[in-house]
Amino acid sequence: MMDQNQHLSKTAEAQHSEKRKTRNYCNGFKMFLAALSLSFISKALSAIIMKSSITQIERRFDISSSTVGLIDGSFEMGNLLVIVFVSYFGAKLHRPKLIGIGCFTMGIGSILTALPHFFMGYYRYSKDTPINPSENSTSSLSTCLINQNLSLNRTSLEIVGKGWEKESGSHMWIYILLGNMLRGIGETPITPLGISYIDDFAKEGHSSFYLGNLFAVTMIGPIVGFLLVSLFSKMYVDIGYVDLSTIRITPKDSRWVGAWWLGFLVAGLISIISSIPFFFLPKNLDKPKKEKKASVSLPVQNEEKSQMAHLTKQGQNVSGTVAGFFQSLKNILTNPLYVITLFLTLLQASSHIGIITYVFKYVEQQYGQSASETSILFGFITIPTFASGMFTGGYIIKKFKFTLVGIAKFSFCSHMLSFLFHLLNFALICENKSVAGLTLTYDGNNPVASHISVPLSYCNSDCNCDQSQWEPLCGDNGITYISPCLAGCKSSSGSKKSVMFHNCSCVEVNGFQSRNNSMKLGECPKNDQCTRKFYVYIVVQIFIFFSSALGSTSNIMLVFKNVEPELKSLAMGFHSLTIRTLGMINT
């Protein structure tokens, strides 16, 4: 009787211990999932702010598109420096702490990106803009001064121009490159170590559902990012330093630069905060016995099972040494399913990265939208679409319990659908804007073969204009003119943003000149046909984003479900290395 009581007591203690382990496991896993979600949000937030600020950084530092591409690619460069080693050796170390260190590093990189703003002078959007923008800048706008000696005026313009060129030609953009590279180094451990941790400790068959939820929650980052960029883009870059009432350009002006640096400060602070929870999480979760998983969490066919068993047997002989690293790398590179998946995702990434990098600039230039309007618009259409697509994709995989072949078929169908929608973009291209001196002669009557060295016309040949000055005006004929002087304007009235120019001899309306032609600062808007195409373009993008998001979860699952469990982090890391090296940097 006593033995029976002792046996019952031990059984009760064992059950109680098992329940406690289950409770601790659930709490630990939920905390890790919440912390990883916050890190993914901060990661996405930083990425959106960088992508959305590309055009403003290009204007602020007066750099070429190729240099901007180098700055954007520096993120991948930093990622490449450590991604393979972090993915392999990080899986054998304390993964949560490594992710925390990465988030902290990512935050420091974002803050470093914003620092050049505090060491540069005021932004000068025109050669005739005074060194201190608080001065009256409207009076310095040059009009057509026929047969007058402009040597004094030209001297002043040359002095101002030299100062402007010196500032814009500075190398402060290198700090943005270094900050973005540091952000890439910090982002390295988050995805491979975080996803492998989830797959190791999630309930059997639930990893795809958790990943779908993770990527759906991640969309909060782009939501906040687009809203912040839209808000900061409307603020002048030197806000707090200059009298904003003296600035004569508006956010719709092609020379406008918003407070791009504020977004990086906010992103850096959020990244640092997101790193804190990881330092309090355990290295491994004590998983209950009934939840121990086999090497593959999804049901597979017999042939797939035998292959996974063979791979697992190979993985058991791999040590944590450098020799073990190369042996592990050999294992994944001799896995035909993994290599095929890697090659196909590389082709897909190569086509998408250029779109992601330059889509904001494309919309601004092609459809005449401002930076703030573009950011808020893409925030409204991409975030719900991507979130619903990712969630739907993860749910479908879990609901129908796809095998590896089923996941591959599902990914193929979704991305093929996205490709077909992409083809519609070719029918939505607007005609080039008419600009006198670039696409037309200065009188606006005839097209030119090249925009280089366009000869002056009868209406401005005697005006002694500075042809390098860009101060666009819009005429009643729908043509944009480079500057008041090159438009043949003889006089001006008003001040600051409301300045008007009169008697513009190069402006013809219905084929006739009028001495009373008046113009105001700013480029001419796109025509109604282009506006209609823009609305169709937005609808097409919604279908593209949704179909692409459907296959995003299956892409990731194809990567780490094709290798043995011990090499999941390395497989994800090498996958990211290949995509970033061959698919992103060349952009």
Side-chain angles (χ1 to χ4, degrees):
M1 186 69 178
M2 184 177 296
D3 293 339
Q4 185 178 3
N5 291 336
Q6 290 178 350
H7 177 72
L8 293 174
S9 177
K10 290 181 179 179
T11 302
E13 289 179 1
Q15 292 177 349
H16 180 70
S17 177
E18 186 66 22
K19 289 181 180 179
R20 186 170 61 253
K21 288 181 179 180
T22 303
R23 185 169 58 252
N24 292 338
Y25 156 76
C26 292
N27 292 337
F29 185 78
K30 289 178 181 178
M31 181 177 290
F32 177 83
L33 194 61
L36 188 66
S37 298
L38 182 58
S39 68
F40 268 61
I41 290 172
S42 63
K43 177 168 71 80
L45 171 65
S46 301
I48 287 297
I49 288 178
M50 172 56 74
K51 297 293 185 184
S52 303
S53 303
I54 282 293
T55 55
Q56 300 193 63
I57 291 174
E58 181 179 353
R59 294 172 193 160
R60 179 65 180 94
F61 295 90
D62 192 32
I63 53 181
S64 63
S65 295
S66 59
T67 303
V68 168
L70 177 64
I71 292 175
D72 188 60
S74 64
F75 178 86
E76 278 71 42
M77 296 177 191
N79 209 289
L80 293 178
L81 294 175
V82 294
I83 188 168
V84 174
F85 295 101
V86 167
S87 300
Y88 177 72
F89 294 105
K92 303 176 183 303
L93 301 175
H94 199 299
R95 283 180 284 184
K97 286 187 178 180
L98 284 178
I99 295 174
I101 294 173
C103 291
F104 184 82
T105 305
M106 190 168 58
I108 297 299
S110 295
I111 294 176
L112 177 61
T113 302
L115 286 184
H117 169 75
F118 300 98
F119 300 108
M120 296 184 68
Y122 296 122
Y123 170 60
R124 303 172 63 190
Y125 46 84
S126 177
K127 284 188 176 183
D128 57 4
T129 304
I131 295 177
N132 183 357
S134 297
E135 300 173 7
N136 187 358
S137 58
T138 304
S139 60
S140 63
L141 283 172
S142 59
T143 54
C144 180
L145 303 174
I146 300 177
N147 296 327
Q148 293 190 26
N149 186 357
L150 298 181
S151 59
L152 179 62
N153 185 40
R154 284 190 176 277
T155 302
S156 63
L157 282 176
E158 288 175 2
I159 295 175
V160 173
K162 288 179 181 178
W164 179 76
E165 291 171 1
K166 180 178 180 181
E167 180 181 332
S168 63
S170 67
H171 299 288
M172 295 296 288
W173 59 266
I174 294 178
Y175 289 96
I176 298 181
L177 185 145
L178 294 176
N180 202 33
M181 183 180 293
L182 187 61
R183 189 172 66 85
I185 294 174
E187 190 261 358
T188 303
I190 298 176
T191 300
L193 299 187
I195 291 178
S196 64
Y197 197 92
I198 289 177
D199 190 61
D200 285 343
F201 299 107
K203 293 181 180 180
E204 183 176 351
H206 285 208
S207 58
S208 61
F209 180 70
Y210 287 128
L211 289 178
N213 287 338
L214 175 65
F215 292 132
V217 171
T218 302
M219 291 298 102
I220 296 176
I223 290 176
V224 177
F226 282 123
L227 290 176
L228 289 179
V229 170
S230 177
L231 175 63
F232 296 149
S233 295
K234 295 178 182 178
M235 301 179 182
Y236 189 65
V237 60
D238 293 317
I239 185 172
Y241 296 93
V242 300
D243 182 4
L244 298 181
S245 62
T246 63
I247 306 301
R248 65 172 181 262
I249 60 175
T250 66
K252 286 186 174 293
D253 195 292
S254 60
R255 297 163 296 168
W256 176 271
V257 175
W260 60 271
W261 49 277
L262 279 174
F264 290 102
L265 293 180
V266 174
L269 181 61
I270 294 177
S271 295
I272 292 175
I273 294 175
S274 70
S275 69
I276 297 175
F278 290 102
F279 295 101
F280 300 96
L281 290 169
K283 179 180 180 180
N284 296 304
L285 296 175
D286 191 7
K287 203 169 185 181
K289 294 181 180 179
K290 64 180 180 179
E291 294 295 344
K292 295 292 184 182
K293 297 192 299 182
S295 59
V296 180
S297 59
L298 289 179
V300 295
Q301 298 175 355
N302 293 333
E303 182 179 352
E304 294 168 341
K305 290 183 178 179
S306 61
Q307 183 184 13
M308 289 299 138
H310 175 69
L311 293 172
T312 304
K313 185 176 180 180
Q314 286 184 337
Q316 292 174 351
N317 299 323
V318 177
S319 63
T321 63
V322 176
F325 165 74
F326 287 106
Q327 179 61 39
S328 300
L329 192 60
K330 178 183 177 182
N331 287 345
I332 64 173
L333 292 180
T334 54
N335 185 332
L337 294 177
Y338 176 81
V339 174
I340 292 174
T341 302
L342 182 65
F343 178 72
L344 294 178
T345 52
L346 173 61
L347 291 179
Q348 180 188 6
S350 299
S351 63
H352 286 174
I353 295 304
I355 299 174
I356 296 173
T357 302
Y358 295 107
V359 65
F360 299 98
K361 185 175 183 179
Y362 174 79
V363 172
E364 289 180 39
Q365 298 295 328
Q366 185 66 225
Y367 299 106
Q369 303 297 312
S370 68
S372 59
E373 290 173 341
T374 303
S375 298
I376 196 68
L377 179 64
F378 272 92
F380 276 118
I381 68 172
T382 59
I383 306 311
T385 307
F386 263 117
S388 58
M390 289 177 176
F391 179 83
T392 303
Y395 178 79
I396 290 175
I397 294 174
K398 177 178 179 294
K399 177 69 174 178
F400 295 99
K401 299 180 180 179
F402 286 150
T403 63
L404 287 177
V405 176
I407 294 175
K409 290 180 179 179
F410 179 71
S411 176
F412 171 78
C413 292
S414 60
H415 291 301
M416 178 57 68
L417 187 62
S418 174
F419 170 74
L420 295 177
F421 283 126
H422 269 295
L423 296 179
L424 297 177
N425 289 328
F426 289 102
L428 301 174
I429 298 176
C430 294
E431 295 182 359
N432 290 330
K433 185 181 296 185
S434 298
V435 180
L438 293 179
T439 63
L440 301 172
T441 55
Y442 281 105
D443 58 11
N445 290 329
N446 303 303
V448 295
S450 173
H451 67 278
I452 301 174
S453 301
V454 177
L456 295 175
S457 182
Y458 64 89
C459 59
N460 59 12
S461 58
D462 296 330
C463 293
N464 297 306
C465 301
D466 180 7
Q467 292 181 257
S468 63
Q469 182 184 12
W470 175 253
E471 197 74 45
L473 303 92
C474 181
D476 294 335
N477 54 3
I479 298 176
T480 299
Y481 292 81
I482 293 178
S483 69
C485 181
L486 289 172
C489 300
K490 307 300 188 300
S491 60
S492 63
S493 62
S495 60
K496 300 169 186 175
K497 297 178 182 179
S498 59
V499 63
M500 294 290 295
F501 296 88
H502 310 287
N503 300 325
C504 302
S505 58
C506 290
V507 181
E508 293 186 5
V509 181
N510 297 325
F512 298 96
Q513 289 186 354
S514 172
R515 297 182 57 85
N516 296 323
N517 279 336
S518 298
M519 307 174 70
K520 65 178 181 178
L521 289 174
E523 299 179 40
C524 294
K526 293 283 187 175
N527 56 35
D528 294 338
Q529 183 181 6
C530 185
T531 303
R532 288 192 294 270
K533 286 185 177 181
F534 175 65
Y535 294 143
V536 178
Y537 172 83
I538 294 302
V539 176
V540 171
Q541 302 316 300
I542 293 175
F543 287 110
I544 291 175
F545 294 150
F546 183 81
S547 55
S548 297
L550 272 179
S552 60
T553 302
S554 57
N555 282 351
I556 294 178
M557 297 195 68
L558 283 173
V559 172
F560 66 78
K561 289 300 183 182
N562 281 324
V563 299
E564 58 269 29
E566 293 82 2
L567 300 180
K568 283 183 292 190
S569 295
L570 179 62
M572 286 295 300
F574 188 80
H575 176 266
S576 299
L577 170 68
T578 306
I579 297 300
R580 295 180 189 281
T581 303
L582 303 179
M584 294 188 177
I585 288 184
N586 58 10
T587 303

